Amino acid sequence: MTVAAASAAIASFSGLQGLAHIAGWPSRMSWLLPVTLDAYAMTSVRVWLAASTRSAAARRFARFNALGAIAASIAGNATYHAARTGLLSVSWPIVVLVGAVPAAVLGLTAHLHALQGRTEAAAEDRTGDRDRHARRTRRKRHRRYRTEDELIDAARTADARRREANDGRPITRDALRTTLRVSNARATELRRQLIEKGTADEQADL
């Protein structure tokens, strides 16, 4: 595997460097073309296959660019060898495409980095959304049976339990508010209704 990888890397490097040279790059700069393409291909593959990449969007973008960088390297080597054997003339489209590689890789790298940055923010947003949804669900569970009659029944039940546990003393407004999860005003109104009901029951007994 080491021998195959080393020979392929050297052959690809030589072909892409030669392509850069015949496309007009200075000799001292021509080595940057294979380094740019191969480095970006390896970076994209690592982001694509890494277990730490949790964003589906980042993984898809990295896979697309890894395959694109490999395809560009293959096409570049093929173009160089075709030009060297006289099967292809180096015209302006080839020069333009080869010259656009560094700027394109720079933009794609920046976008991939931005996707990874948004991954953490998206995860935090999803966690916050789940927490907010859980709080709303809990509130709905507390409120779903709270029609007026059901709420009064729940207040009577809470009052009866409090009386049993406290030697007949009625439930307080704050205890109603906490037990039934209602506002202060609603708890006051419920306690008033409980007192009136208790008074009416005593009068009926007399």
Side-chain angles (χ1 to χ4, degrees), residues 43-188:
T43 300
S44 299
V45 168
R46 288 194 62 183
V47 175
W48 171 20
L49 301 178
S52 58
T53 304
R54 302 183 182 225
S55 167
R59 194 179 295 277
R60 284 194 302 270
F61 186 76
R63 178 182 59 195
F64 169 78
N65 283 278
L67 297 176
I70 294 172
S73 180
I74 294 172
N77 278 279
T79 301
Y80 170 70
H81 291 296
R84 284 293 303 270
T85 57
L87 296 176
L88 181 69
S89 61
V90 180
S91 57
W92 69 265
I94 295 176
V95 175
V96 170
L97 288 174
V98 173
V101 168
V105 169
L106 178 61
L108 293 171
T109 303
H111 186 63
L112 182 58
H113 178 71
L115 277 179
Q116 287 182 313
R118 287 207 304 266
T119 298
E120 297 178 358
E124 293 175 359
D125 290 342
R126 286 194 297 270
T127 300
D129 290 340
R130 285 195 297 267
D131 292 341
R132 287 190 291 272
H133 177 70
R135 288 195 296 268
R136 286 195 298 267
T137 301
R138 286 195 297 269
R139 287 197 295 267
K140 287 179 181 179
R141 285 175 180 171
H142 288 304
R143 294 173 182 171
R144 64 184 177 183
Y145 64 90
R146 298 296 170 76
T147 64
E148 187 65 27
D149 292 338
E150 290 175 344
L151 189 57
I152 293 174
D153 289 341
R156 290 172 181 167
T157 301
D159 182 52
R161 290 175 180 173
R162 181 59 63 95
R163 288 175 184 272
E164 290 177 1
N166 293 277
D167 299 327
R169 285 178 291 181
I171 193 169
T172 63
R173 184 202 66 173
D174 291 338
L176 275 174
R177 177 177 57 80
T178 303
T179 302
L180 302 181
R181 299 180 182 272
V182 295
S183 64
N184 287 333
R186 195 67 182 276
T188 300

